[in-house]
Amino acid sequence: MKVAVGSDHAGLSLKAEVIGHLQALGHEVHDVGTHGSESVDYPDFGRQVASMVADGGAERGVLVCGTGQGMAMAANKIPNVRAAVVSDTFSARMAMLHNDARVLCLGERVVGAGLALQLVDAWLGETFEGGRHARRVGKIEGAAPTG
Ligand code: RB5
């Protein structure tokens, strides 16, 4: 799978862990940055990763900042992209199964690396169920209601 990955300065260490993990699993990783510890603005990276997912340049995206929250807010501004902040494996799985959240957002100041990699695995291991869930996510994107 091709996975786009990005972080701000507060997510730099966990991003490196995630990249190493994804590569060890055989995934192709595109790292949009940041690449240094200087303070940067998370929306610049959140929007890049989400845009790659939206235009098909990547199948999934992982974003890391201090809490994951700002990254999710930025990524969710890109049409047809749903980004979920998770810190438990059940939510990570359901974000994919029911919400088709192709962008996962993690908080380096919230979850340890061990849990974060389990969250990535739980989310990557699922595919969208579709059906009634497709109707519901369509409504998020402004599709006309169909029953
Ligand atoms: C940076 O200090 C921090 O605000 C950012 O990483 C993120 O947590 C925002 O949501």
Side-chain angles (χ1 to χ4, degrees):
M1 205 180 283
K2 183 164 182 183
V3 185
V5 177
S7 78
D8 67 358
H9 53 288
L12 190 62
S13 297
L14 182 54
K15 174 165 68 79
E17 298 266 2
V18 169
I19 289 171
H21 184 67
L22 291 171
Q23 288 175 334
L25 292 172
H27 297 291
E28 182 185 349
V29 176
H30 181 91
D31 182 3
V32 305
T34 190
H35 300 293
S37 58
E38 68 281 2
S39 183
V40 292
D41 298 335
Y42 57 81
D44 297 337
F45 303 92
R47 294 181 72 94
Q48 272 190 74
V49 164
S51 296
M52 283 190 71
V53 170
D55 69 19
E59 291 160 74
R60 302 277 189 104
V62 179
L63 289 165
V64 191
C65 63
T67 60
Q69 302 290 353
M71 283 295 197
M73 291 172 194
N76 278 317
K77 291 292 184 187
I78 303 299
N80 298 314
V81 169
R82 284 167 299 284
V85 186
V86 298
S87 55
D88 68 274
T89 54
F90 178 74
S91 297
R93 291 184 57 236
M94 297 310 289
M96 191 64 233
L97 282 167
H98 283 192
N99 309 115
D100 195 22
R102 290 177 293 150
V103 176
L104 192 77
C105 300
L106 301 169
E108 182 175 321
R109 296 170 179 165
V110 180
V111 294
L115 174 57
L117 301 186
Q118 288 189 358
L119 297 171
V120 169
D121 288 346
W123 167 76
L124 268 185
E126 301 293 356
T127 53
F128 183 44
E129 280 183 3
R132 67 190 185 281
H133 303 297
R135 181 183 71 243
R136 291 164 185 165
V137 299
K139 288 183 178 182
I140 295 174
E141 301 301 331
T146 56

